[in-house]
Amino acid sequence: MATTPLALEVRGLRKSYGKLDVLRGVDFDVAAGSIFALLGSNGAGKTTVVRILSTLLKPDSGTAGVHGFDVLAQPEKVRESISLTGQFAAVDQILTGRENLIMVARLRQVREPGKVADDLLERFGLTDAGGRRVGTYSGGMRRRLDIAMSLIGDPPVIFLDEPTTGLDPEARIEVWQEIQSLAGKGTTILLTTQYLDEAEKLADRIAILHEGTIIVSGTLADLRKLLPPAKTELVERQPTLEEIFLSIVGKGAATPEGAQR
Ligand SMILES: Nc1ncnc2c1ncn2[C@@H]1O[C@H](COP(=O)(O)OP(=O)(O)OP(=O)(O)O)[C@@H](O)[C@H]1O
Ligand SMILES: [Mg+2]
C-alpha cells in the first residue's frame, strides 16, 4: 500500500463543447491531505475539470478517481466524499446566513445543525451578520458563507473554484487560514485560482492547465527550477510564480527548457 494514498487520480480526461476541445488529456494526482492548485488563464478549462471531478459533468473520455471512487461508476459515493464551492456563490439570498448553514446541515444530516451553524459563523467572522438576510451581505461575506457551507459534514475532499475572487485582502487571509487549517486536519483541497500569490502561499503542488493539458506540475521549488533566477548585481532573486506562469503560458514566450509534466 502506498504511504500517501491518493485523494484524486485523474487520467487522460478529455472534454469538448461542440468543436471546442477544452480538455485534451488531463492527468494529475493529488495526495490525501494536501493542497493542490490548478492554474490557468481564463477559459483554460479549470472549472470544467472541477465540474467533472464533482460529477456535475461527464468527461468524453478518461477516468477520474475521487477519494477512491470513480466519478462515472460511483458518482453517489463521490458526492458523499466531496463538497464544492463554485466560482459563483450558491447561497440563498432570502434566507439569513444562519438559515443557509442550517439548511445545508439538515440536507447533509449532520447532528445539531444549529450548533454547527453557530460554530461556522464564528469561524468565518459572520456571527453578527448571521441573523441577516444574505441579500444584504457584501460579496466577501457571501463568499465566506459559501465556503463555510462547503465545510458542513467534514467532507474529506473539497473543491474550491476561485475561493477568494472578489475578497478584500483581510478576508482573503482569513480564507487562506481556514484552507490551511483544513489541510492540516487531513482534508484534501483542490483549488483553482487566478491569484498566483495564492497558489504560491497555499499549495503543496501546483499544476498549470494550458491548451487542454497540464503543461507543468510540481512543487513551487520544482517550478522555479524551470526558470533561472533573475540575476541582479547584488542578490540572486528566485523567480515568482507569476514570472514562471507568464513565461510558460504568456503569449509569444519561449517554453523554458525542460518544461513538461
Ligand atoms: N457549457 C458550455 N458550453 C460551451 N462552452 C463551454 C461551456 N462551459 C465552458 N465552456 C467553454 O469552455 C472553455 C473552458 O471553460 P472553463 O469555465 O472550464 O474555464 P476556466 O479555466 O474555469 O475559466 P475562468 O478562469 O474564466 O473561470 C471556455 O472557452 C468556455 O467558454
Ligand atoms: Mg472557471
Side-chain angles (χ1 to χ4, degrees):
M1 216 170 85
T3 41
T4 320
L6 291 178
L8 300 176
E9 211 171 344
V10 176
R11 294 286 176 275
L13 274 196
R14 302 184 76 95
K15 180 74 192 175
S16 304
Y17 297 107
K19 283 188 183 156
L20 183 69
D21 284 334
V22 177
L23 306 180
R24 305 176 187 184
V26 169
D27 301 273
F28 62 85
D29 290 332
V30 179
S34 68
I35 303 179
F36 182 83
L38 189 59
L39 306 181
S41 309
N42 287 132
K46 304 177 297 295
T47 297
T48 301
V49 170
V50 169
R51 287 173 57 83
I52 291 171
L53 295 181
S54 50
T55 77
L56 297 173
L57 186 70
K58 287 198 165 86
D60 298 336
S61 62
T63 60
V66 177
H67 197 56
F69 302 113
D70 184 89
V71 290
L72 288 176
Q74 300 157 292
E76 62 299 321
K77 289 283 183 196
V78 171
R79 275 180 233 132
E80 283 168 15
S81 312
I82 63 160
S83 79
L84 165 66
T85 297
Q87 192 167 358
F88 306 101
V91 291
D92 186 299
Q93 313 258 14
I94 310 283
L95 299 181
T96 68
R98 190 166 185 275
E99 286 166 345
N100 265 285
L101 290 164
I102 289 176
M103 179 182 70
V104 174
R106 291 212 172 110
L107 284 172
R108 295 195 188 149
Q109 301 179 349
V110 168
R111 263 185 242 157
E112 299 188 80
K115 185 177 177 306
V116 168
D118 290 333
D119 288 349
L120 284 166
L121 289 169
E122 167 94 43
R123 265 165 75 184
F124 284 84
L126 292 168
T127 301
D128 292 344
R132 258 166 52 199
R133 284 176 45 185
V134 171
T136 68
Y137 284 20
S138 71
M141 291 163 81
R142 271 177 224 203
R143 201 77 205 142
R144 279 182 281 155
L145 179 64
D146 205 25
I147 294 171
M149 279 160 66
S150 78
L151 305 189
I152 293 172
D154 298 320
V157 179
I158 294 187
F159 299 117
L160 298 170
D161 197 3
E162 302 202 18
T164 62
T165 297
L167 294 190
D168 65 38
E170 206 181 334
R172 270 180 93 200
I173 289 167
E174 281 171 25
V175 168
W176 286 357
Q177 284 167 348
E178 274 301 328
I179 292 172
Q180 278 169 325
S181 105
L182 283 171
K185 287 184 219 143
T187 305
T188 306
I189 294 155
L190 182 149
L191 64 95
T192 76
T193 183
Q194 303 279 352
Y195 301 118
L196 301 181
D197 61 328
E198 181 160 296
E200 237 182 289
K201 170 103 177 119
L202 288 181
D204 297 301
R205 296 181 71 85
I206 296 164
I208 299 179
L209 180 62
H210 185 60
E211 294 182 349
T213 63
I214 303 287
I215 54 167
V216 286
S217 77
T219 61
L220 182 60
D222 294 336
L223 268 56
R224 282 202 167 123
K225 287 188 198 126
L226 299 176
L227 280 192
K231 290 262 192 327
T232 68
E233 278 177 24
L234 294 170
V235 289
E236 211 179 57
R237 189 174 62 82
Q238 291 291 322
T240 64
L241 186 58
E242 182 164 359
E243 285 162 347
I244 299 165
F245 181 85
L246 290 175
S247 135
I248 293 168
V249 168
K251 288 195 181 67
T255 305
E257 211 181 313
Q260 51 192 230
R261 287 194 305 107

